[in-house]
Amino acid sequence: HRCHQETRCYPGRGGLRLNRGKRALCSDETRRASRGAMRIGATLLFACALAFAGARAEAEAETAEPTDALEPLTGASLDERVHRSSRVWAVLVTAAEGCPQCESMQSLVESAARMSKGLANFGVIDVLDADNAKALALGPTSQVPELRLYVDTGIPNAYKKSEFYRAFTPYAGQPSARGIKKAIYDAVLQDAPTEDLVAGGWKAWASKVEAAKAGVVAVSSKSATTALVAGLARALNGRAPVAQVLKFDPETHKDIAAGLGGLTAAPALLAYDPASAAWQAFPADKLSKAELAEVLAFVGEQCGMDNLETVAGTARASSGSKPAPDAAAGSGAGVLSTYDTYVEAVRRLKMPVVLAVRTAASGGEAPADWDKFRDKAHGTSAHIVYCD
């Protein structure tokens, strides 16, 4: 437009600014026309921005990969995947429809799963399915959404031999991804099956590793176990012993450093290769940011364990993490051959147990009609232990 002086003008404070650098005040009519044109331009610009953003969002949605942070679970898979596993599980109990809080909580749990470096397994189960609700044993006071943390190893159900029982703890922290991640790390560190390797103890540890033909040593300059080492020990579940050296010092831990091939610095993670009878180190530059799956793959390769992630990291056999006595067949089934199996099957079981205590003088034979008695025990565990 043109101002009252017939000169092309541009917006300026107090009116319009001349293109020649001189100031001229425009009429009210001209000023209103200028403002109207600016509003129309801003509206068109905003509409174009919205259209571009919408097109970009649609394109990203079409090319985005589906999320697999949470594993869908059912009442049938809950026992096989969660109750029989030695890994820490975080299971979100949710309603698939009509629950905005469930959607918000699921988004937080998915974010926590991505930040947890594979140290725990994450799953989601829908309570609107009757079979799922029955498997979860929901009561009148149950709330949805609920995040269940499974930490302790599952044990055989004394009243239903085909199933396992595993206690859980409801997550009661802040509704945030970081809060959930911290709870997962704390759960992984709880009662981690690791051994402390101290100065002077290398000889005994080396003998144990050679007998097992597998082993892992984590060396750290810190004074506490890291979540990665604890998660690794849980995932291995006894298939390979795991030891940790805390506050490592090459002078103090001379025997350990020598046994590990002249180790001079921490942190380090080494796995025993039975083929070469030597310790192989995980790449030091990748250790701080490594995920559990990477470390498991490394240990499996060095120790000669195939499908380590699938076997140790997901589900156990129906007998549990160690050969359960109930899995044995024939006469004398249910024999507890080691102290560890005795602790697993008897000491930790909070259910009635029938224990036949015998000695080698019995010739290793089971009591009369032992198998028939066990078949009719109606879920009560029955075991034999030889205390010679």
Side-chain angles (χ1 to χ4, degrees):
H1 66 278
R2 295 180 181 274
C3 70
H4 63 284
Q5 293 182 348
E6 299 293 332
T7 305
R8 184 172 297 278
C9 302
Y10 300 92
R13 186 170 56 184
L16 298 177
R17 186 179 297 278
L18 291 171
N19 59 348
R20 296 175 182 176
K22 298 181 180 180
R23 185 178 296 278
L25 295 179
C26 298
S27 64
D28 292 341
E29 182 179 355
T30 305
R31 189 179 292 112
R32 284 194 297 270
S34 174
R35 290 175 179 173
M38 293 174 66
R39 291 192 186 98
I40 294 174
T43 302
L44 292 174
L45 182 62
F46 182 68
C48 292
L50 285 178
F52 175 76
R56 182 175 181 178
E58 291 180 2
E60 290 179 351
E62 292 177 358
T63 58
E65 297 181 357
T67 177
D68 56 352
L70 305 185
E71 178 181 338
L73 297 171
T74 64
S77 64
L78 185 68
D79 176 73
E80 183 67 25
R81 297 286 297 154
V82 181
H83 293 174
R84 299 173 189 268
S85 175
S86 61
R87 295 280 298 276
V88 172
W89 270 85
V91 177
L92 177 62
V93 180
T94 182
E97 298 179 0
C99 180
Q101 295 87 349
C102 296
E103 296 178 3
S104 300
M105 188 64 176
Q106 181 165 340
S107 177
L108 294 177
V109 176
E110 288 176 351
S111 298
R114 298 188 186 97
M115 294 190 300
S116 297
K117 297 184 177 181
L119 294 178
N121 290 346
F122 288 79
V124 59
I125 186 168
D126 182 18
V127 298
L128 298 183
D129 184 282
D131 293 335
N132 295 350
K134 182 179 180 181
L136 292 168
L138 296 179
T141 60
S142 301
Q143 297 181 353
V144 173
E146 180 186 43
L147 182 62
R148 297 183 173 187
L149 302 180
Y150 294 84
V151 181
D152 296 334
T153 304
I155 58 176
N157 191 333
Y159 295 107
K160 198 171 183 181
K161 289 186 176 181
S162 61
E163 296 181 358
F164 266 57
Y165 169 77
R166 192 177 187 187
F168 67 88
T169 302
Y171 174 70
Q174 293 293 327
S176 66
R178 291 186 180 275
I180 297 173
K181 174 189 172 184
K182 183 180 183 303
I184 293 298
Y185 274 50
D186 292 343
V188 171
L189 289 168
Q190 181 178 326
D191 298 329
T194 60
E195 301 181 29
D196 290 329
L197 187 56
V198 298
W202 176 257
K203 188 175 181 180
W205 167 255
S207 299
K208 183 175 182 178
V209 170
E210 291 175 2
K213 295 183 179 180
V216 178
V217 174
V219 182
S220 174
S221 59
K222 300 180 180 180
S223 59
T225 307
T226 63
L228 178 63
V229 176
L232 176 63
R234 284 181 174 274
L236 291 174
N237 196 27
R239 296 190 65 188
V242 179
Q244 56 184 351
V245 183
L246 302 177
K247 294 184 178 181
F248 175 74
D249 179 71
E251 294 298 324
T252 306
H253 303 91
K254 287 184 178 181
D255 59 326
I256 298 176
L260 294 175
L263 184 68
T264 59
L269 189 142
L270 303 95
Y272 182 73
D273 180 8
S276 61
W279 290 88
Q280 306 297 333
F282 187 85
D285 57 334
K286 299 180 180 180
L287 187 57
S288 61
K289 296 183 179 180
E291 296 198 359
L292 180 59
E294 299 177 60
V295 181
L296 272 175
F298 167 78
V299 173
E301 180 181 357
Q302 300 302 327
C303 298
M305 300 178 184
D306 296 331
N307 301 322
L308 186 57
E309 171 65 13
T310 302
V311 175
T314 54
R316 298 179 295 168
S318 61
S319 57
S321 61
K322 299 171 184 173
D326 290 342
S331 178
V335 176
L336 303 177
S337 57
T338 67
Y339 178 76
D340 288 341
T341 56
Y342 163 70
V343 172
E344 184 79 15
V346 179
R347 296 289 296 276
R348 294 182 180 177
L349 193 65
K350 299 179 180 179
M351 298 291 181
V353 178
V354 175
L355 186 65
V357 182
R358 304 174 69 78
T359 66
S362 61
E365 297 180 359
D369 299 326
W370 174 250
D371 292 337
K372 184 185 298 184
F373 167 75
R374 295 180 74 253
D375 291 339
K376 297 182 179 181
H378 301 292
T380 301
S381 298
H383 309 291
I384 300 176
V385 60
Y386 293 97
C387 57
D388 56 309

